[in-house]
Amino acid sequence: MARPLQSIHGQWSSRWAFVLAATGSAVGLGNIWKFPYITGENGGGAFVLVYLACLVLIGLPVMMAEILVGRRGRQNPVNSLHSLAIEEKTTQDWQYLGWLGLTAGILIMSYYSVFAGQALAYVFRNFSGVFEGVTADGATSIYNALVSDPERLLAWHTIFVIITSIVVARGVQGGLEKAVKFLMPALLAILFLLVGYAANTGIYFQQGIDFLFHADFSKLSGDSVLTAMGHAFFTLSLGMGAIMVYGSYLPKSASILKMTFAIAFADTAVALLAGMAIFPLVFANGLDIDAGPGLIFHTLPIAFGHMQGGAFFGGLFFLLLVFAAWSSAISLIEPAVAWLVENKEVSRRRASVITGLVTWSLGLLTVFSFNIASEWTVFGNTFFDLLDYLTANIMLPLGGLLIAIFVGRIMSQDSSEKELNIKPQYLYSTWRFLIRYIAPAGIIIVFLNMLWN
Ligand code: PHE
């Protein structure tokens, strides 16, 4: 089967547009909401080190593999894997790996948009000053008023799904590219402002930095390692085809190696900067760092509520969260939308509406898990906990493992060498070694360790 030179329904205007969009996908709730709280729960610096190791040894090689498959296949993940499997004369069942990705994307989007919706609500709550001087109980009741009311939560969830679908409906250049060209610079500007604000806390700023970079290995368990690896996949948007589908809109000439480094560097920098913006405020107000998922929606508003200019900077913080989530959410549904457009001959508009409706409906489960269905638990986990665990800790690493096997072991060396086109040669050999041995072994070891426990 001949490979098309260009995706049938879109192309980035330049390699920079791709880097920006992929960075937009990578930088999301994972960096600003999840990274600080899991770092808090797992003891700080030591966890950061394990996470960085996962990023370099597993994340980077897998990201290159995904971009490679996307650019070579030139279509949505299902079709790309299908046509590359034919090209490599192997079983066409590899297309199911694409399906795993599409499914993971939709599942993640279903709860992602509920949290992004909460962040959106908090933009208004903060700017309006309701947190000024708030007590812990007060912050709890403001949060509960939002999440225990299914109607309110649903309204915010709906708004977020709609704004995401609108961007995707407008296409690669008119929608995705335009959105990230506005969102990413705005996000960076807000982030720097907030780090500057945190720097005003003096010794607490230092304390926050120490917490991020000082390694205390005693708090590290086998489970922390799984969390760190799962997070490396989640934060880089790997294992579900988002980066793959973005790669399919990429011009041929761009260097995959350089772009991958740029994306991973930017993603990590944002996560660390977010930590530097958040931890000092928490310390400065004598609050608890390991508050879990409530760190952002409960602890942080109390901190802002007791600081000079807190209403304004608090509002900005949640705006940052919304911008980050928005540019990620578009990449969560893009694989499914591209699949619909390329296989079912529906317009991009209609495909976005369909995908939006599916994720919206599934999101109801998360919405209700906060209120009317909060009693429904499986082994003590709410529906959201389960979805998060299933997608981030299982589906994404599994997707990554299979991509590593496909690109490292099924695809011929000749194909990957030509597509990556890395000079000097030893860099290609290093990548090949990582993708054939280290990344799969790392993922398998972490999985086995999880089963063992
Ligand atoms: N990388 C995003 C984040 O850190 C989440 C995401 C995962 C987006 C998978 C797309 C694909 O929030």
Side-chain angles (χ1 to χ4, degrees), residues 22-32 34 104-105 108 112 231 233-243 267 324-325 327-333 396:
T23 306
S25 165
V27 172
L29 294 179
N31 303 59
I32 299 165
K34 207 168 174 193
I108 296 176
Y112 206 80
H231 188 65
F233 278 98
F234 188 83
T235 190
L236 290 177
S237 307
L238 297 178
M240 52 69 61
I243 296 295
D267 182 67
S327 61
S328 297
I330 55 183
S331 73
L332 282 167
I333 60 172
L396 300 188

Side-chain angles (χ1 to χ4, degrees), residues 150-190:
E151 261 174 51
R152 276 203 211 182
L153 202 53
L154 191 59
W156 291 110
H157 163 62
T158 307
I159 294 176
F160 189 78
V161 171
I162 291 176
I163 61 174
T164 304
S165 306
I166 289 178
V167 171
V168 177
R170 292 174 172 237
V172 179
Q173 286 192 16
L176 311 190
E177 195 172 316
K178 242 194 195 146
V180 295
K181 277 186 174 155
F182 163 73
L183 292 173
M184 297 315 285
L187 184 146
L188 264 192
I190 300 179

